[in-house]
Amino acid sequence: MTTSPIETKAMQLLSKMTLDEKLGQLSQTCGAGGHIPQYLVEGIQKGRVSSVINEVDLATVNELQRIAKEESRLGIPLLIGRDVIHGFKTIFPIPLGQAAAWSPELVEKGARIAALESARAGVNWTFAPMIDIARDPRWGRIAESLGEDPFLCSQLGVAMVKGFQSDDLSTNGAIAACAKHFVGYGASESGRDYNTTNIPENELRNVHLQPFYFAAKSGVASFMSSFSDLNGVPASGNQWLLKQILRDEWQYKGLVVSDWESIKELKVHGLSASDKDSARLAAKAGIDIEMQSTCYIDNMKALIDESKIQESEIDSLVLNVLQTKFALGLFDQAYTDLSTLPAYLNHEHLSAAKEAAQKSCVLLQNQSRNGASPILPLNKNDTKRIAVIGPLANDGYEQLGTWVFDGEEQHSISCLSGLKEIVNEGTEIKFEPVFASSRDKDTQQFEKALSITEQADVAILFLGEESILSGEAHCRSNIDLPGAQNELIEYLSQSSTPIVLVILAGRPLTIQPIVNKIDSILYAWHPGTMGGIAIAEILFGDACPSGKLPVTFPRVVGQVPIYYAQKNSGRPAAEWSYVHIDDVPQRAPQTSLGMAATHLDTHFTPLYSFGFGLSYAEFAYHDVNISDNKIVIGESFSVTLKVENKSEIDADEIVQLYIRDLVGSVTRPVKELKGFQRVYVKAKSIVNVNFELHTDDLAFYDINNKLNVEAGDFLLGVGKDSSLELNVAFELIN
Ligand code: GLC
């Protein structure tokens, strides 16, 4: 096998390194926030620091690099890591919101801008994309995810990697991306963060590993091991995962970093009895850099002296680190040259953030309680008095969402400001926050809110979750609107004034109790810096909502986990089988009910399906055709259709293609997303849409956990969300 120039350079450098210097390359430590303590100076001078995390003062970063380059024996530059999850200064919607735009192009652009802005602070490594499959809205980190579906998450995750890394990692403004959290973190039991995960290998391979596989093949520079216990072996000490899957099966050559102190936590898990043993297990598994904890630097020499690990094994870890630094071009240019980087928050960046926020918004409901025509879009000329209600209407901080280290609220356009910016001159806006926070239970301002609602032509409620209620370690067992928000909506619903509810949240919320008490609902996630103007333009029709849900919305939290790509079971839920608890006859005999996979007290369907989202336009799908109903395995095939916009409004529609493999050597989901396209359809016109597929797209890990395409019968459907009917039959033949 030929050795690349980067591998050659890394091996030449490795040959000059002492054991101490080698071990130094396996250690990441936290910056001190704008100054350099003496211990850090000395650590870098001695070659004991490979990477610094959370230092974003450029002068300090350049000085850290200078010390490494000029005052250490071998002059090995530093990796400067930062969580740049959905923007640096220009904040984009939370990743779950970005996923609702179903646009790899938008996600790539957002990551590119985040890379350029963070590079201005000397950052050369971000810990993103987070591509955990998330199917539990109780889990706070669903906010950082790209949703429940492996196909959508894979497409968007690869786009994010490309945005961060550009086409050449060594170019100025490209930063190393990091596929995290490897793997299965989203399946944490009961949606509690850091909790145990038990995932059968077949599901791991067919669901959770998929986005990471595509990230690896896309050239992501690094992986991060998860905190979680994976089937009894925590990921940071899991050789099956980090060696057999990542290195042997996927031939991944990049760098693996542990999550924050996750190596030290192997002892807490009970996988090891000491930090030394944790160091051994993690190194044997293949963690190259230890984040924050010091099990490696404190114990590795002893492990080598005791022959519990070979120096040659250490060499392999060091090589992965050095190769990454060479790939980043750090040996040639470790210092940040601001002259080649665009300014923070420039017009282009803010425009991109607004577009992302706008295309992320999902219109969940648009009707009127009195049966008249839908409330949205509002007419600027007819809307002369607006009641704006809710604490999130005027909070540039909360709208930024979770995992925002460097964004600042003063740059945000709040929802209230956005409305004021676009309404007609003379329009009266009365604002009543009602609550001090989204968790507030004080109802004293309800009467005042009702009063301004009664006087208004429309009431616009901005409710939901503060940013701290989602994200890492911020999980909820009850995912209703927090505080007394439901009570507020109930109270205001006594008014005949049309009510529009805009929800800012980091997860799907169980809003079933209030949907019939308001007219229209727009789900804006945490929309970022430009959220306010993006939302205002949608509400008044300057933009048309086009987002589609990247995650299923349950009716009640007791339905969780609920997701579209479920298995059929032997007794699938169906209308005939559903008997509501209130309708169960008294003393009903044991076998008298539906005897199917349903709950007695909640309908078996979700409140909103994966892929669901309304538009101001009205779309119709016609002439779905497949190129052949018998397709030889190994060949390509295509699916064509027409999408008609029957309205007077030009708009985007996200066309979705799902399949079902009716019989497999393991049971297959009742639907699987295999294609999507965001198409622009002018008013009163029809566009042709074409999907090019290959039988490889229908491959799955079979009964032997081997990736395989099995002959047999399939169904296919194309439509506007995952509740569509699969009405095209085809067969794969050998
Ligand atoms: C955190 C997170 C991880 C993040 C890392 C560094 O605990 O789990 O996603 O990248 O620590 O901040």
Side-chain angles (χ1 to χ4, degrees), residues 53 83 127 141 180-181 224 227 259-260 291 403 472:
I53 183 175
D83 290 284
F127 306 114
R141 303 199 78 162
K180 72 181 187 183
H181 307 82
M224 180 186 287
F227 285 121
D259 199 344
W260 195 273
M291 181 186 284
W403 278 103
E472 182 173 352

Side-chain angles (χ1 to χ4, degrees), residues 341-366:
L341 295 170
Y344 292 143
L345 299 149
N346 66 50
H347 176 71
E348 183 196 342
H349 294 182
L350 293 174
S351 300
K354 184 178 105 173
E355 182 187 10
Q358 215 146 62
K359 291 183 173 176
S360 300
C361 288
V362 182
L363 184 60
L364 296 178
Q365 181 174 293
N366 191 22

Side-chain angles (χ1 to χ4, degrees), residues 576-650:
W576 66 267
S577 63
Y578 177 60
V579 178
H580 190 275
I581 195 166
D582 297 341
D583 304 328
V584 174
Q586 284 204 322
R587 308 170 75 79
Q590 167 56 30
T591 57
S592 62
L593 301 180
M595 308 298 276
T598 59
H599 293 112
L600 282 178
D601 48 4
T602 300
H603 195 274
F604 52 87
T605 55
L607 184 62
Y608 303 109
S609 300
F610 173 83
F612 175 78
L614 300 175
S615 171
Y616 295 154
E618 184 191 346
F619 294 104
Y621 287 69
H622 307 295
D623 306 334
V624 179
N625 286 301
I626 189 167
S627 49
D628 198 330
N629 292 91
K630 284 189 182 303
I631 302 161
V632 176
I633 290 174
E635 293 191 352
S636 300
F637 61 101
S638 59
V639 175
T640 58
L641 67 141
K642 295 182 187 311
V643 177
E644 178 185 8
N645 180 346
K646 305 170 84 168
S647 74
E648 303 291 342
I649 300 170
D650 299 344

Side-chain angles (χ1 to χ4, degrees), residues 199-411:
I199 312 171
E201 181 178 342
N202 192 255
E203 181 182 338
L204 262 179
R205 288 179 178 278
N206 281 316
V207 177
H208 299 274
L209 283 168
Q210 201 178 118
F212 289 92
Y213 171 77
F214 287 106
K217 294 305 170 188
S218 75
V220 69
S222 63
F223 267 60
M224 180 186 287
S225 62
S226 163
F227 285 121
S228 31
D229 179 331
L230 175 62
N231 299 330
V233 183
S236 301
N238 193 313
Q239 290 197 32
W240 174 83
L241 179 67
L242 298 177
K243 279 251 185 315
Q244 180 182 322
I245 296 293
L246 186 60
R247 301 294 187 186
D248 298 346
E249 283 190 27
W250 296 356
Q251 288 297 297
Y252 181 66
K253 304 294 185 196
L255 180 155
V256 177
V257 64
S258 60
D259 199 344
W260 195 273
E261 299 208 333
S262 59
I263 292 179
K264 190 173 185 67
E265 289 173 7
L266 294 178
K267 185 170 69 175
V268 182
H269 278 286
L271 192 73
S272 72
S274 65
D275 288 349
K276 183 195 285 188
D277 206 29
S278 297
R280 179 183 62 80
L281 289 169
K284 288 281 187 185
I287 301 278
D288 299 315
I289 289 186
E290 177 177 16
M291 181 186 284
Q292 189 54 20
S293 49
T294 57
C295 300
Y296 275 18
I297 206 89
D298 293 345
N299 297 287
M300 208 60 89
K301 280 185 93 171
L303 287 166
I304 292 170
D305 293 345
E306 296 160 19
S307 300
K308 289 181 178 169
I309 199 159
Q310 303 304 314
E311 186 166 347
S312 59
E313 296 174 272
I314 300 298
D315 289 351
S316 303
L317 309 182
V318 176
L319 275 176
N320 292 330
V321 178
L322 296 178
Q323 286 167 173
T324 303
K325 293 183 177 184
F326 277 113
L328 275 163
L330 294 179
F331 287 89
D332 301 325
Q333 173 53 289
Y335 307 115
T336 297
D337 174 7
L338 283 181
S339 66
T340 63
L341 295 170
Y344 292 143
L345 299 149
N346 66 50
H347 176 71
E348 183 196 342
H349 294 182
L350 293 174
S351 300
K354 184 178 105 173
E355 182 187 10
Q358 215 146 62
K359 291 183 173 176
S360 300
C361 288
V362 182
L363 184 60
L364 296 178
Q365 181 174 293
N366 191 22
Q367 58 194 28
S368 63
R369 281 168 292 154
N370 63 16
S373 58
I375 301 301
L376 295 177
L378 300 169
N379 181 302
K380 291 177 187 174
N381 299 324
D382 301 343
T383 311
K384 302 189 185 312
R385 292 167 302 170
I386 305 172
V388 176
I389 294 168
L392 298 178
N394 193 30
D395 196 320
Y397 171 82
E398 298 299 356
Q399 72 187 56
L400 297 180
T402 187
W403 278 103
V404 171
F405 283 162
D406 305 290
E408 296 157 281
E409 63 178 296
Q410 65 261 31
H411 302 302

Side-chain angles (χ1 to χ4, degrees), residues 422-705:
I422 73 158
V423 294
N424 287 351
E425 192 73 30
T427 303
E428 178 192 72
I429 294 179
K430 287 188 177 178
F431 170 51
E432 173 48 57
V434 177
F435 300 117
S437 79
S438 69
R439 288 164 287 149
D440 192 349
K441 296 186 173 69
D442 184 342
T443 62
Q444 292 178 60
Q445 303 306 318
F446 279 24
E447 186 51 47
K448 188 175 173 188
L450 181 60
S451 166
I452 65 171
T453 297
E454 294 287 22
Q455 300 161 33
D457 299 316
V458 65
I460 306 176
L461 279 55
F462 292 92
L463 300 172
E465 290 179 319
E466 297 146 87
S467 57
I468 196 64
L469 300 183
S470 60
E472 182 173 352
H474 306 152
C475 305
R476 298 177 62 203
S477 64
N478 171 342
I479 53 174
D480 288 350
L481 282 164
Q485 296 182 63
N486 279 355
E487 290 78 0
L488 172 64
I489 293 169
E490 173 76 36
Y491 192 78
L492 297 178
S493 67
Q494 65 187 291
S495 166
S496 60
T497 300
I499 300 177
V500 175
L501 171 62
V502 179
I503 295 178
L504 281 66
R507 59 163 50 86
L509 295 175
T510 40
I511 58 172
Q512 179 170 256
I514 51 96
V515 294
N516 295 326
K517 302 191 186 314
I518 40 183
D519 301 298
S520 300
I521 304 172
L522 185 72
Y523 220 83
W525 315 99
H526 286 122
T529 304
M530 299 297 280
I533 187 65
I535 292 165
E537 289 183 355
I538 285 178
L539 296 178
F540 278 91
D542 294 347
C544 182
S546 57
K548 300 274 186 174
L549 295 179
V551 63
T552 300
F553 275 49
R555 294 177 183 278
V556 295
V557 71
Q559 288 185 296
V560 172
I562 182 170
Y563 49 95
Y564 87 92
Q566 61 184 3
K567 299 296 188 71
N568 204 31
S569 83
R571 296 189 180 188
E575 287 306 337
W576 66 267
S577 63
Y578 177 60
V579 178
H580 190 275
I581 195 166
D582 297 341
D583 304 328
V584 174
Q586 284 204 322
R587 308 170 75 79
Q590 167 56 30
T591 57
S592 62
L593 301 180
M595 308 298 276
T598 59
H599 293 112
L600 282 178
D601 48 4
T602 300
H603 195 274
F604 52 87
T605 55
L607 184 62
Y608 303 109
S609 300
F610 173 83
F612 175 78
L614 300 175
S615 171
Y616 295 154
E618 184 191 346
F619 294 104
Y621 287 69
H622 307 295
D623 306 334
V624 179
N625 286 301
I626 189 167
S627 49
D628 198 330
N629 292 91
K630 284 189 182 303
I631 302 161
V632 176
I633 290 174
E635 293 191 352
S636 300
F637 61 101
S638 59
V639 175
T640 58
L641 67 141
K642 295 182 187 311
V643 177
E644 178 185 8
N645 180 346
K646 305 170 84 168
S647 74
E648 303 291 342
I649 300 170
D650 299 344
D652 278 5
E653 169 73 335
I654 296 169
V655 179
Q656 302 159 45
L657 183 150
Y658 296 86
I659 63 103
R660 180 180 179 181
D661 184 352
L662 290 168
V663 177
S665 57
V666 292
T667 55
R668 309 294 302 120
V670 294
K671 278 187 185 120
E672 290 177 272
L673 180 72
K674 290 297 180 184
F676 60 89
Q677 291 181 37
R678 176 182 272 265
V679 294
Y680 176 71
V681 192
K682 291 184 74 59
K684 295 295 186 190
S685 66
I686 294 177
V687 297
N688 294 312
V689 179
N690 178 50
F691 289 98
E692 291 298 333
L693 294 156
H694 188 282
T695 55
D696 287 350
D697 298 326
L698 307 179
F700 65 97
Y701 285 88
D702 64 13
I703 187 66
N704 301 309
N705 282 321

